[in-house]
Amino acid sequence: MSARILVVDDVPANVKLLEARLSAEYFDVLTAANGAEALAICARAECDIILLDVMMPDIDGFEVCRRLKSNPATHFIPVVMVTALDSPADRVRGLEAGADDFLTKPVSDIVLIARVRSLTRLKMMTDELRMRAITSLEIGVQAPERSAVADTGKGGRILLVDDRPSSYERLAPMLSAEHSVDVETNPSEALFHAADGNYDLLIVSLGLDNFDGLRLCSQARSLERTRAVPILAIADADNNTRLLRGLEIGVNDYLLRPVDKHELLARVRTQIRKRRYTDHLRDNVQNSIEMAITDALTGLHNRRYMESHLSTLAEQAAARGKPLALMMLDIDFFKAINDTYGHDAGDDVLREFAVRVRKSIRGIDLACRYGGEEFVIVMPETDLHVAGMVAERLRRSIAGEPFSVNKGAKRIEVTISIGLSTLELKGEPVADVLKRADNALYRAKHDGRNRVVAAAA
């Protein structure tokens, strides 16, 4: 697992030491001697993780971190502060500046490498989501970076898994100051609770009685419904080995007892902000997919989706020896509606038409806007007789009740013409089926509109 690590320190000896440690683990290492140089490197997107010293002459590490995390273009880059400062107040200050972790010098090689590897895995996952979501900008989905920068990390839903009253009775009130907290004292039930609770964060004590807390963390990572939920482990000061193992299996962060309230809240806010950001990225990817296959005005599938999916449905029908019917519809005199009542009224008609279509067909049927006022409905396992009954029901649904337009100011009569065809021969090109439906639609319009015509066998 290679990553580009930026080491920022104004002491050359410290830089060389970290560079040697990281290079030995096959990481690519960049260096910067001051904050301004580090910010410039990050602005060019040249690094994956930053190891940042606090005490620097031009801009201190706290300010560098603050600038990185407040910039939508760089806020997602993990920052680990590596410094001689070791008081809880210093750690909290670093975490509140946006740091992902705060390591105190001298840092053991094992701890440093484990933390870098853990953050590298998370960064790669986030980068993959970001790359998938980039196209969403091109189709109008808002990028989540600005909301992520403004997110306070408060108001999260947390599940605390701890079976020692002396521990959870102290931790829960601390967390409740900023979040909604559920306490699970039975570790055997914790995974089910986590899967059903839609939590933003799991906090797991590694000192559970008669239960391995790391096994619970591993199970949470392997279960689909909890795989993306961040985990914060809490351990005794002599549990470094188990904590390092936890980072390897997917624990996101950890705290050593005795727990400082301010550091706990700062680390929790960091993890909840990350969770919300990745959730936004996933939502953007999903929205991008939906927008790529959906007609924005009607909510029906678009022509691109129909053309790619119709061949698959035809192949399935032929392989199973089942019928496949295709319905092509056209709203009669639609141009006159636009010319008389305006294009907003035309849009109202198209939206209401889509609603009535959905009510008239089955869940397995595929309804698409083919273009303009033309629509196609594909009906698997449907012969021409049944398709004719469905088409007639839909025709009556459209003609039987006027359409409200211009915010209900007017109600106008609307009718449709429908052409039907079916898949005739195994292996027949779907273009031929569409062509027959189109010809049948032409006859329906030629014969007076507001009618259903089936293609000749």
Side-chain angles (χ1 to χ4, degrees), residues 6 14 22 43 79 99 148 157 190 213 250 302 319 327 337 346 363 384 411 453:
L6 174 62
N14 291 343
L22 294 164
V79 175
R157 297 197 70 245
N302 59 21
M327 186 188 306
I337 294 174
L384 197 59
R411 289 171 63 82
V453 172

Side-chain angles (χ1 to χ4, degrees), residues 396-416:
R396 290 197 302 267
S397 168
I398 301 301
E401 183 179 354
F403 282 54
S404 294
V405 299
N406 297 335
K407 298 181 180 180
K410 295 183 179 298
R411 289 171 63 82
I412 61 176
E413 302 290 335
V414 177
T415 62
I416 58 172

Side-chain angles (χ1 to χ4, degrees), residues 107-155:
V107 181
S108 77
D109 290 358
I110 295 175
V111 171
L112 174 67
I113 299 305
R115 202 67 182 103
V116 169
R117 283 178 174 160
S118 172
L119 288 170
T120 297
R121 284 192 296 269
L122 294 173
K123 174 68 162 44
M124 287 180 173
M125 178 193 73
T126 304
D127 282 350
E128 183 177 352
L129 284 171
R130 289 181 63 246
M131 289 302 296
R132 291 181 181 178
I134 280 175
T135 54
S136 63
L137 294 175
E138 300 170 4
I139 56 176
V141 178
Q142 185 176 1
E145 278 76 12
R146 294 196 178 278
S147 60
V149 167
D151 190 356
T152 63
K154 297 181 181 180

Side-chain angles (χ1 to χ4, degrees), residues 12-294:
N14 291 343
V15 173
K16 289 188 177 298
L17 181 60
L18 285 173
E19 186 175 10
R21 289 177 177 178
L22 294 164
S23 296
E25 297 295 328
Y26 305 103
F27 291 105
D28 295 328
V29 182
L30 303 172
T31 63
N34 55 64
E37 188 179 348
L39 291 169
I41 291 172
C42 293
R44 296 194 298 268
E46 294 179 357
C47 66
D48 296 305
I49 296 174
I50 305 164
L51 300 183
L52 179 63
D53 185 34
V54 171
M55 308 302 291
M56 291 186 295
D58 60 338
I59 311 172
D60 69 25
F62 295 124
E63 180 60 24
V64 171
C65 188
R66 237 185 317 271
R67 293 188 190 183
L68 289 170
K69 294 299 183 177
S70 63
N71 184 348
T74 58
H75 86 97
F76 52 84
I77 303 174
V79 175
V80 179
M81 289 190 166
V82 184
T83 176
L85 301 175
D86 63 354
S87 73
D90 291 322
R91 289 196 296 273
V92 170
R93 187 181 174 193
L95 293 165
E96 289 182 342
D100 296 83
D101 204 352
F102 193 101
L103 300 181
T104 303
K105 297 176 182 177
V107 181
S108 77
D109 290 358
I110 295 175
V111 171
L112 174 67
I113 299 305
R115 202 67 182 103
V116 169
R117 283 178 174 160
S118 172
L119 288 170
T120 297
R121 284 192 296 269
L122 294 173
K123 174 68 162 44
M124 287 180 173
M125 178 193 73
T126 304
D127 282 350
E128 183 177 352
L129 284 171
R130 289 181 63 246
M131 289 302 296
R132 291 181 181 178
I134 280 175
T135 54
S136 63
L137 294 175
E138 300 170 4
I139 56 176
V141 178
Q142 185 176 1
E145 278 76 12
R146 294 196 178 278
S147 60
V149 167
D151 190 356
T152 63
K154 297 181 181 180
R157 297 197 70 245
I158 299 172
L159 178 63
L160 172 62
V161 183
D162 197 338
D163 58 5
R164 289 190 292 180
S166 61
S167 175
Y168 65 73
E169 287 176 359
R170 180 170 180 264
L171 294 175
M174 291 181 185
L175 296 163
S176 296
E178 295 183 355
H179 308 279
S180 170
V181 184
D182 291 336
V183 178
E184 178 54 75
T185 59
N186 183 353
S188 300
E189 296 295 323
L191 192 62
F192 302 103
H193 196 164
D196 293 336
N198 191 30
Y199 291 100
D200 297 304
L201 177 67
L202 304 182
I203 299 180
V204 179
S205 170
L206 299 188
L208 299 170
D209 291 331
N210 303 315
F211 199 95
D212 187 347
L214 286 183
R215 182 167 298 279
L216 174 60
C217 295
S218 176
Q219 290 171 339
R221 280 291 164 263
S222 64
L223 188 67
E224 178 67 28
R225 295 173 69 180
T226 56
R227 186 169 296 156
V229 180
I231 301 172
L232 174 66
I234 296 182
D236 295 324
D238 58 354
N239 265 8
N240 272 344
T241 301
R242 284 173 58 75
L243 282 173
L244 295 177
R245 182 69 178 134
L247 291 174
E248 291 177 3
I249 65 175
V251 169
N252 300 77
D253 200 1
Y254 62 85
L255 268 171
L256 297 178
R257 301 183 194 274
V259 174
D260 176 79
K261 175 182 178 180
H262 300 292
E263 184 174 358
L264 170 66
L265 291 176
R267 290 187 184 273
V268 166
R269 288 194 295 267
T270 296
Q271 295 305 320
I272 289 177
R273 279 195 298 266
K274 286 184 180 179
R275 169 64 193 273
R276 289 171 178 167
Y277 175 59
T278 54
D279 281 351
H280 282 316
L281 287 175
R282 288 191 181 93
D283 289 344
N284 273 17
V285 171
Q286 184 60 37
N287 288 339
S288 299
I289 293 170
E290 291 178 0
M291 291 177 73
I293 65 174
T294 304

